[in-house]
Amino acid sequence: MAKVLVVDDEQEIAELVAVYLKAEGFAVQTFAAAQPALAAVEADPPDLAILDVMLPDMDGFALCQRIRQRHLFPILMLTARGEDMDKITGLTLGADDYITKPFNPLELVARVKGQLRRATRYNAGSAPAAGPAAPEEHELRGLVINKATHKCTLYGREVALTPLEFSILWYLCDHRGRVISSEELFEAVWGEKSFDSNNTVMTHIARLREKLGEPPRRPKFIKTVWGVGYTVE
C-alpha cells in the first residue's frame, strides 16, 4: 500500500484529498503545517507528498526544498494561484507536478497514480522487452546513467536526480542524436498531453542542467535546438 503525505492547512481540502486517496487504497497522513510534516518524512518517508504552497509556518516551496535535500520521492504542489511563476518555482525547487486550486479530486488522484507509476518504473527498472536487449546504461563524456540501478554519475560523482529528472535524461540519452520536441518528451515522460508542456519541460531541463553543472549558454550534454526541442549528441 503506497503512503501519501498531504500537507494543507485548510482542513476541508486535506480531508477531501484524504477521502479520495483512501478510497483508491492509499495510506494517507495529513498535516496542517510544515514542521510536523517534515518530522514525519524523516521518521518514515512516504511514497509521495502533496504540498500546499500557503502554510502557516513555512511555505510549501521551502518545504519542498528541505525534502529534496534528502529524499527523491515524487512531490506534487497545490497552489491557489494559477500564476506561471508559482508553477515554475515549484518545479525548479524539485517538485514533479502541480495542480491549481480549485481542482477536481479525481484529477488529483490520477496525477498521484501517474507519478507513483513513473517512480516505481524507473526505480525498479522496466520489464525486458522482446527482441534485442535494450541498453541498461549510457555513457557520455564522463556522464553515466544506469537504468537498472537508477543512478547517474558525473566524473564518478553521483548526481541525485528525482524520478522525473532521471526519466527525462534517460529518454534523451536513449534517443541520442535525435532532436526531441518538448511535446514528445512530455508525452513520453509524463504520459499525458498538456497545453503547458513546453514550460514544464523547460523548467525540468533547466534543473537538470543545474545539477549537471552545465553553463546555461554552452551546455555540454543537453543542447537546445531553438524552435525544435532538445538533443543529446
Side-chain angles (χ1 to χ4, degrees), residues 168-216:
I168 291 169
L169 184 57
W170 179 266
Y171 192 85
L172 290 172
C173 287
D174 211 33
H175 295 80
R176 185 173 173 179
R178 271 188 57 200
V179 179
I180 307 298
S181 69
S182 294
E183 290 75 18
E184 178 183 343
L185 192 56
F186 189 89
E187 290 178 19
V189 174
W190 278 260
E192 58 188 65
K193 292 182 179 294
S194 174
F195 67 91
D196 60 355
S197 60
N198 285 345
N199 286 339
T200 302
V201 170
M202 180 179 64
T203 304
H204 279 85
I205 291 290
R207 178 72 172 168
L208 256 176
R209 285 173 171 162
E210 180 183 340
K211 288 188 174 183
L212 296 175
E214 297 222 76

Side-chain angles (χ1 to χ4, degrees), residues 71-98:
H71 304 281
L72 295 177
F73 55 77
I75 296 176
L76 193 155
M77 301 296 298
L78 293 180
T79 173
R81 294 166 291 183
E83 298 174 6
D84 285 342
M85 200 61 234
D86 279 347
K87 300 171 184 177
I88 291 171
T89 299
L91 294 172
T92 300
L93 293 175
D96 297 284
D97 200 359
Y98 58 83

Side-chain angles (χ1 to χ4, degrees), residues 156-173:
R157 176 183 61 86
E158 185 169 350
V159 181
L161 301 181
T162 67
L164 265 178
E165 290 165 351
F166 185 93
S167 303
I168 291 169
L169 184 57
W170 179 266
Y171 192 85
L172 290 172
C173 287

